[in-house]
Amino acid sequence: MTDLPLTLRHEHAADGAAIAKLHERAFGPGRFAKTAYRLREGVNALPTLSFVALVGTLIVGSIRLTPLMVGQTPALLLGPLAVEQAFSSIGIGMNLVNRAVEAARSEGHSLIFLVGDEPFYSRAGFVVMPFNRVEMPGPVDPKRLLVLELVPGALAPLEGRIVGVKRSNAA
Ligand SMILES: CC(C)(COP(=O)(O)OP(=O)(O)OC[C@H]1O[C@@H](n2cnc3c(N)ncnc32)[C@H](O)[C@@H]1OP(=O)(O)O)[C@@H](O)C(=O)NCCC(=O)NCCS
């Protein structure tokens, strides 16, 4: 970790513009074409499961979780996760992941999916989703579709199409 005064807190509505700029810098304009973004289109991030990292008052990292359905089973999608490059490799990214995962666990969620690099996310317990069990709404390298079971056995019966839970359908 860092000696800098780093804090994590829930995302506030007023953080939106700063986070959008962070996403632009971290992912570039091609981000909207990604399949993970398609799963988030029209889907609200869950406020209790979305966090920012701050150095002083400056937002230097962000993580959001959104609701999904996999067939008939509710689940979560982790992402975007982004950390300002100037503050990379001091533990902020993994701190955000762990904080969001623990919050999801304490709320009783059973599964978190994401599209990302297994060498990074395996540090938080994510594994590659067994191939051909679920159907994504667009192309994804199957080695990058990762899942974390928060409730043992939650993955076993899982199959079907992964869809985001749109605002109008959300509770
Ligand atoms: C990926 C990202 C969130 C990591 O944030 P971070 O605060 O630097 O992460 P941490 O400090 O917790 O961890 C850094 C470690 O993870 C490693 N790491 C970072 N990205 C990685 C990746 N894609 N694959 C494998 N390892 C990775 C670093 O090399 C570093 O390793 P070390 O501890 O052995 O030095 C950040 O680099 C970022 O915002 N990148 C651009 C956006 C992005 O790719 N987001 C993830 C989308 S899936």
Side-chain angles (χ1 to χ4, degrees), residues 1 22-23 25-27 34 40 60-62 78-85 87-97 114-121 123 144 146:
M1 268 305 295
L22 172 61
H23 288 168
R25 286 191 290 277
F27 299 104
K34 290 182 176 168
R40 291 193 281 262
V60 296
S62 161
L78 185 154
L81 166 69
V83 173
E84 206 64 76
Q85 202 174 6
F87 293 91
S88 68
S89 286
I90 55 173
I92 295 173
M94 197 41 64
N95 259 280
L96 283 166
V97 171
L114 66 82
V115 179
D117 293 330
E118 189 270 345
F120 179 74
Y121 288 102
R123 297 178 188 198
R144 302 189 77 240
L146 310 183

